[in-house]
């Protein structure tokens, strides 16, 4: 069994050699593997989970590099399909003085966008405890149909469906209404839904977090997370809602912060749902908040470093960050008494 099977895009992020300046002034870049679903897969693997990836890759050298990157972190790649009909997608990234990212994409279309229903490996989905998807691959009708097919197979076989909207407005320019409708349909077939504040407002028309989360929950998910940057994360289920405070760290690069959160939450979730239902795990507020706190720690460590995949922490690093420092402080205080 795989803890998490990620489905969707993996592309090349060209990260800036210098931050705090606009893209046109960046003197140079270095390549890094990126793409939200791929980040989640690697994040789960680095946290000690069993991860797999399903997506479409170009036969170009960048496609080779991306698959090799997954394999180097222990992510299973039998679901990686190759095509010579398109090149690997590229994203050039600028990072401003606050650590926020600004993207310029080259994908017209890129290989990941050519995912089709025939590429969906039903047996691989049945071997997973969770499938995780995003919205970027759904730009073309065939890829959207493939995503929906994967969700339906998962639900038929009791596999949890996780969906991080990760909506890139620049990719949907002129097709915003279509994008909103596709995201809402995808959310209706999901169990775990994660959105940012901006995405929540785009999808629901309200900036009120409680109202927006309630509107998204009404689409069908069992739990909705709204990430609030430095304010933490708000979650809502049918019976529970609360805000979980963040860990305070200097932000170096916000790339992969949400993916780190998702990887952390799903890694915790799969351990807790073994032998019991998802509904039960999501009925205990202490459990949800403990899982969300762990996820916040993963996200915090990710933003404290440059890049996405290289910045995602290991299980040991999260432990040290969350618990070891506190334990040393307790020992020190006990010695004074």
């Amino acid at each position: 069994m795989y803890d998490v099977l990620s489905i969707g895009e993996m592309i090349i992020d060209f990260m800036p050699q210098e931050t705090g300046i606009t893209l046109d002034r960046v003197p140079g870049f270095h390549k890094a593997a990126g793409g939200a679903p791929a980040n989640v897969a690697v994040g789960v693997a680095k946290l000690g989970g069993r991860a797999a990836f399903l997506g479409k890759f170009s036969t170009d050298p960048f496609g080779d590099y991306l698959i090799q990157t997954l394999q180097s972190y222990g992510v299973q790649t039998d679901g990686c399909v190759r095509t010579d009909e398109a090149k690997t997608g590229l994203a050039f990234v600028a990072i401003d003085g606050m650590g926020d990212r600004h993207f310029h994409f080259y994908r017209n279309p890129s290989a990941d966008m050519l995912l089709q229903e025939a590429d969906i490996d039903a047996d691989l989905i049945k071997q997973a405890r969770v499938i995780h998807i995003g919205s970027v691959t759904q730009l073309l009708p065939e890829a959207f149909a493939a995503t929906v097919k994967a969700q339906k197979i998962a639900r038929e076989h009791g596999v949890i469906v996780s969906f991080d909207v990760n909506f890139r407005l620049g990719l949907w320019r002129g097709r915003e209404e279509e994008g909103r409708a596709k995201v809402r349909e995808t959310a209706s077939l999901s169990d775990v839904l994660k959105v940012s504040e901006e995405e929540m407002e785009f999808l629901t028309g309200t900036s009120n977090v409680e109202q927006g989360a309630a509107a998204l929950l009404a689409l069908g998910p069992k739990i909705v997370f709204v990430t609030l940057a430095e304010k933490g994360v708000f979650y809502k289920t049918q019976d529970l809602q609360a805000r979980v405070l963040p860990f305070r760290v200097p932000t170096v690069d916000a790339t992969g912060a949400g993916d780190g959160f998702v990887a952390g939450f799903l890694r915790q979730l799969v351990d807790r749902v073994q032998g019991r239902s998802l509904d039960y795990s999501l009925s205990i507020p202490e459990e949800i908040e403990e899982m969300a706190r762990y996820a916040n720690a993963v996200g915090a460590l990710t933003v404290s470093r440059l890049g996405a995949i290289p910045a995602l922490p290991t299980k040991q690093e999260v432990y040290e960050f969350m618990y070891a420092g506190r334990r040393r402080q307790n020992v020190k205080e006990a010695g004074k008494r």
Side-chain angles (χ1 to χ4, degrees), residues 95-100 229-230 246-255 257 296-307 311 321:
I95 301 172
D96 64 25
M98 301 297 291
D100 291 326
E230 71 279 356
F247 291 87
R248 301 292 183 183
V249 296
T251 298
V252 174
D253 176 10
T255 306
N296 275 345
V298 177
L301 285 170
T302 303
V303 303
S304 68
R305 312 168 190 176
L306 194 62
F321 180 69

Side-chain angles (χ1 to χ4, degrees), residues 42-49 73 260 263-264 267 294 297-299 301-302 305 308-322:
V42 173
V44 168
K46 292 178 79 169
L47 293 171
Y73 287 102
R267 180 70 189 92
Y294 183 92
V298 177
L301 285 170
T302 303
R305 312 168 190 176
I309 285 179
L312 290 163
T314 64
K315 181 179 180 180
Q316 182 63 28
E317 287 172 328
V318 178
Y319 170 79
E320 291 285 341
F321 180 69
M322 293 183 70

